[in-house]
Amino acid sequence: MNTKINVTINGFQLEVENGKTILEAANEAGINIPTLCYHKDLCIAGNCRVCMVEVSGQKRLAAACATPCEEEMEIQTNSLKVRNSRKHIIELLLSEHNADCTKCYKNGNCELQELASEYKIMTQDFLRLAPMKNYTIDQFSPSIIKDDSKCIRCQRCVRTCAELQGVNALTVAYKGDEMKIATFFEKAMNDVVCTNCGQCINHCPTGALVERNYIEEVWDAIADPNKHVVVQTAPAVRVGLGEALGMDIGSRVTGKMVTALKRLGFSSVLDTDFTADLTIIEEGTELLNRLRKTLQDKDTNVRLPLATSCSPAWIKYIEHQYPELLDNLSTCKSPQQMFGALAKTYYAKARKIDPDKIVSVSIMPCTAKKFEANRPEMHDSGYRDVDYVLTTRELAIMIRQAGIEFQKLPDNKFDRLMGESTGAGVIFGATGGVMEAALRTAYELVTGREVPFDNLNITPVRGVDGIREASIKIEKPLKEWAFLDGVELKCAVAHGLVNAKTVMDAVKNGTSSYHFIEIMACPGGCLGGGGQPIPTSPEIRQKRMEAIYAEDGAMPLRKSHENPEVLKIYQDFLGEPLGPKSHHLLHTKYIPRERF
């Protein structure tokens, strides 16, 4: 069967795969057709009609994103009729849009603004409807701002929330000129099942959905001579920040990032990867304890599988959707929150600083981290553990505001005391990374040997499949762990909450045979987080993932239990994993929430 067909685009003959859309065929031929509602991550909608093209023999223009190519089809993407149609569609969108672009957070990174510039929309032929609309701005969430005045109703956010996350916090309400994107009973985003993952922000083409930013608050803290401002940086930031500042996608900029943070005026520049390593010690110990109680002590009250708790959007999702399975969650805080608690206890004591004067700032690839830092449970240090959370995008803005030429910066190293990390901490930024880091440590603690994978790379848990499974058979364990001899440790990894639902339904129904589960809310894990540079796509996430694993491979230490600073903090401060002090500062509990 012939899988190729012949089409003509703008007078040039092309051979394309049968079933490809006009948009895909044009892109392969190097012809750009503008889009607004289309996104590679999402199903075809054909809502915006900006991608209209002229097909010979058809009276009406066709939507390139939704029209498959046919044999001998003749297509015009730049005829007078097409250009006029696109221009009028853009003008109509602008007539209902709050186009005060200079005050918009997305100014300079807005797809509608870019199209208006390309098509030189310099006059207003249609009545300005924006002032007549009763638009509202929802600013109640600590993570996300929803501004209806900038919404073009492309429904990307609705499809993202439904298809990628399976949450359906956003939907289409009303019809005709009253149609809008709304929440359940038009409640605030903070009062519905929204997980704060920020994927709607990443996929929104305008400024209708943006993160709530804390840039000015952080600048004020840095400028206050009475404050000691500590900053931590998540693993995925170092493979996204360069991209946000004009470098190639997937550039590894750890050293430059540290230098930039020092030049911004932070008192101490430290690494979330340190507490990622600490998380592995605590969570790995918790897993082994649960296995002991289940397999050796036959304690039926202990829940397996153990599910990781590093992704705050996933935590809020399970609180809403599976409250009966909250006991399956690890009690470990996320690395961000562990760091915040230690910054105002261990760090403050070691540096002889009044914790009341410490401002704890984190740079995260994630908008849900803003919500997490705001949770009432996160005050175990006696203070709010993390004061401000900035996204990768917000840090890029601060660097530009400071006039720093990022690409010319020399490399620098993190400050000591909570600045040392291993490759296992780095791979937290990719889906499967927490699982891989935990297995590197847990297997060695149980057997005294390294995991039986080439160069510590546990490839079965890597990749971009929505759900991945792996198992490791434990043979000849140390005497203390003899009860695990012959046990096949079964693991699952899922990213994207729609895949989390599949895994958790199996757990809920009793059909799961897993011992350990890692779930990340965002596609690709943290490297595809809601606070990472825009745009995002499968190809972009793949390059960031490759950079994460390259960073891991280049580290001198690649197992969390070999981090000397982690060993030191247990010796000097925490005592032992799951001990009284570590349990108080590094662990928490989660709460059931309403589903609506």
Side-chain angles (χ1 to χ4, degrees):
M1 180 179 176
N2 185 13
T3 60
K4 299 277 189 178
I5 60 174
N6 297 299
V7 298
T8 301
I9 302 181
N10 298 340
F12 296 95
Q13 285 194 340
L14 302 170
E15 192 176 59
V16 301
E17 292 283 342
N18 190 15
K20 291 238 171 155
T21 63
I22 294 174
L23 180 64
E24 292 170 324
N27 285 341
E28 287 182 5
I31 299 169
N32 178 56
I33 298 176
T35 61
L36 281 173
C37 68
Y38 173 81
H39 197 286
K40 280 188 176 182
D41 286 340
L42 308 173
C43 73
I44 302 298
N47 292 326
C48 71
R49 316 311 278 182
V50 171
C51 69
M52 302 298 272
V53 295
E54 193 170 0
V55 178
S56 181
Q58 295 184 10
K59 292 183 179 179
R60 296 181 179 179
L61 298 179
C65 69
T67 305
C69 293
E70 296 178 5
E71 183 68 41
E72 302 300 333
M73 181 180 273
E74 295 182 11
I75 305 154
Q76 289 289 332
T77 71
N78 193 39
S79 67
L80 181 61
K81 185 177 180 180
V82 167
R83 286 198 305 275
N84 285 338
S85 173
R86 283 184 193 152
K87 189 170 182 179
H88 288 321
I89 289 169
I90 296 167
E91 288 174 339
L92 285 167
L93 289 172
L94 289 172
S95 73
E96 294 186 290
H97 183 76
N98 176 9
D100 192 359
C101 296
T102 57
K103 294 181 181 178
C104 181
Y105 186 66
K106 287 286 288 291
N107 184 22
N109 192 20
C110 169
E111 294 177 41
L112 180 61
Q113 183 185 51
E114 185 178 342
L115 281 178
S117 176
E118 284 181 6
Y119 281 82
K120 301 303 175 191
I121 310 297
M122 302 173 72
T123 59
Q124 185 63 49
D125 294 333
F126 297 99
L127 184 66
R128 292 281 301 170
L129 298 177
M132 304 176 191
K133 298 278 187 175
N134 188 26
Y135 288 127
T136 58
I137 302 177
D138 176 2
Q139 302 184 77
F140 292 103
S141 167
S143 300
I144 298 172
I145 294 175
K146 178 176 177 285
D147 185 348
D148 291 343
S149 73
K150 296 172 184 175
C151 178
I152 59 171
R153 299 179 288 189
C154 66
Q155 300 177 38
R156 272 199 206 168
C157 58
V158 175
R159 286 175 285 147
T160 298
C161 203
E163 295 170 26
L164 295 186
Q165 302 299 61
V167 173
N168 296 292
L170 295 169
T171 189
V172 178
Y174 310 113
K175 295 181 179 180
D177 68 332
E178 295 183 358
M179 186 268 234
K180 64 185 293 187
I181 306 302
T183 57
F184 182 71
F185 277 102
E186 298 193 46
K187 293 182 178 181
M189 295 278 281
N190 203 42
D191 297 329
V192 294
V193 295
C194 172
T195 64
N196 302 286
C197 71
Q199 288 303 311
C200 57
I201 297 173
N202 277 8
H203 292 82
C204 178
T206 66
L209 289 159
V210 297
E211 68 263 42
R212 184 167 184 170
N213 84 78
Y214 298 91
I215 294 171
E216 293 307 318
E217 289 86 342
V218 173
W219 277 127
D220 288 344
I222 290 172
D224 188 339
N226 296 315
K227 297 296 184 183
H228 183 89
V229 188
V230 177
V231 65
Q232 57 166 309
T233 62
V237 175
R238 67 206 67 200
V239 297
L241 181 61
E243 181 184 331
L245 291 166
M247 298 177 70
D248 291 340
I249 295 168
S251 295
R252 294 156 53 197
V253 297
T254 309
K256 286 180 170 52
M257 175 183 69
V258 171
T259 304
L261 289 166
K262 289 177 182 291
R263 293 192 181 183
L264 289 176
F266 287 99
S267 307
S268 190
V269 180
L270 302 173
D271 198 355
T272 315
D273 292 11
F274 164 79
T275 37
D277 284 332
L278 195 61
T279 299
I280 290 303
I281 304 301
E282 292 290 323
E283 196 167 71
T285 303
E286 184 180 9
L287 172 64
L288 293 175
N289 282 356
R290 290 200 189 196
L291 289 172
R292 182 189 294 278
K293 289 178 181 178
T294 302
L295 301 178
Q296 180 176 277
D297 302 339
K298 307 300 180 183
D299 188 341
T300 56
N301 294 318
V302 176
R303 291 282 193 94
L304 284 176
L306 178 69
T308 60
S309 53
C310 296
S311 170
W314 146 242
I315 296 298
K316 191 163 186 284
Y317 177 80
I318 193 174
E319 287 178 328
H320 283 295
Q321 305 293 344
Y322 297 94
E324 69 275 22
L325 298 180
L326 283 174
D327 286 341
N328 287 85
L329 278 177
S330 167
T331 60
C332 287
K333 293 179 180 178
S334 72
Q336 169 184 270
Q337 294 306 134
M338 284 190 182
F339 189 102
L342 293 173
K344 297 187 178 181
T345 53
Y346 172 65
Y347 177 89
K349 182 180 179 181
R351 291 285 187 257
K352 298 180 180 178
I353 302 170
D354 182 353
D356 192 46
K357 295 182 178 180
I358 292 178
V359 177
S360 176
V361 177
S362 68
I363 313 298
M364 293 287 141
C366 174
T367 51
K369 291 289 183 185
K370 296 172 184 279
F371 171 83
E372 180 185 46
N374 202 51
R375 292 180 75 120
E377 302 93 341
M378 302 302 177
H379 290 73
D380 290 322
S381 64
Y383 304 86
R384 176 166 163 162
D385 295 337
V386 176
D387 295 293
Y388 302 111
V389 179
L390 303 179
T391 61
T392 307
R393 296 189 292 263
E394 287 171 87
L395 176 58
I397 290 170
M398 290 184 71
I399 290 170
R400 287 197 186 96
Q401 287 176 341
I404 295 171
E405 293 191 48
F406 187 77
Q407 298 186 37
K408 294 182 180 180
L409 292 178
D411 290 346
N412 215 324
K413 292 184 178 181
F414 289 102
D415 295 326
R416 295 278 62 84
L417 194 69
M418 299 171 62
E420 183 73 44
S421 64
T422 71
V426 170
I427 58 176
F428 265 57
T431 173
V434 179
M435 178 68 68
E436 182 170 352
L439 291 177
R440 287 181 189 178
T441 287
Y443 187 88
E444 190 162 330
L445 293 180
V446 167
T447 67
R449 305 184 302 276
E450 291 186 343
V451 287
F453 290 89
D454 184 40
N455 198 28
L456 299 177
N457 297 326
I458 307 178
T459 52
V461 299
R462 296 186 178 186
V464 294
D465 291 339
I467 300 173
R468 303 182 298 287
E469 298 178 341
S471 62
I472 296 182
K473 190 172 184 179
I474 299 173
E475 297 177 312
K476 299 178 181 179
L478 299 174
K479 185 177 180 180
E480 180 187 359
W481 304 103
F483 68 92
L484 289 174
D485 194 13
V487 171
E488 189 174 5
L489 188 64
K490 296 182 179 179
C491 309
V493 172
H495 63 118
L497 292 175
V498 72
N499 295 311
K501 182 179 188 304
T502 300
V503 172
M504 297 313 292
D505 280 346
V507 174
K508 182 178 179 179
N509 298 334
T511 58
S512 159
S513 60
Y514 306 127
H515 298 102
F516 193 27
I517 294 171
E518 179 210 303
I519 292 178
M520 289 292 172
C522 296
C526 298
L527 56 84
Q532 288 285 74
I534 298 172
T536 184
S537 70
E539 294 80 11
I540 290 173
R541 292 191 291 269
Q542 180 63 39
K543 288 182 179 179
R544 293 175 188 164
M545 186 176 294
E546 291 167 0
I548 284 281
Y549 289 122
E551 187 91 350
D552 163 45
M555 298 285 281
L557 297 175
R558 300 181 60 216
K559 292 175 282 189
S560 295
H561 58 280
E562 294 180 351
N563 185 332
E565 286 197 8
V566 168
L567 299 176
K568 181 176 174 57
I569 197 173
Y570 280 112
Q571 179 182 339
D572 296 348
F573 185 71
L574 292 174
E576 61 180 353
L578 299 186
K581 185 167 283 190
S582 67
H583 194 273
H584 172 67
L585 290 175
L586 309 183
H587 293 255
T588 190
K589 60 183 179 180
Y590 303 103
I591 59 172
R593 297 178 188 269
E594 297 292 334
R595 293 193 64 178
F596 301 101

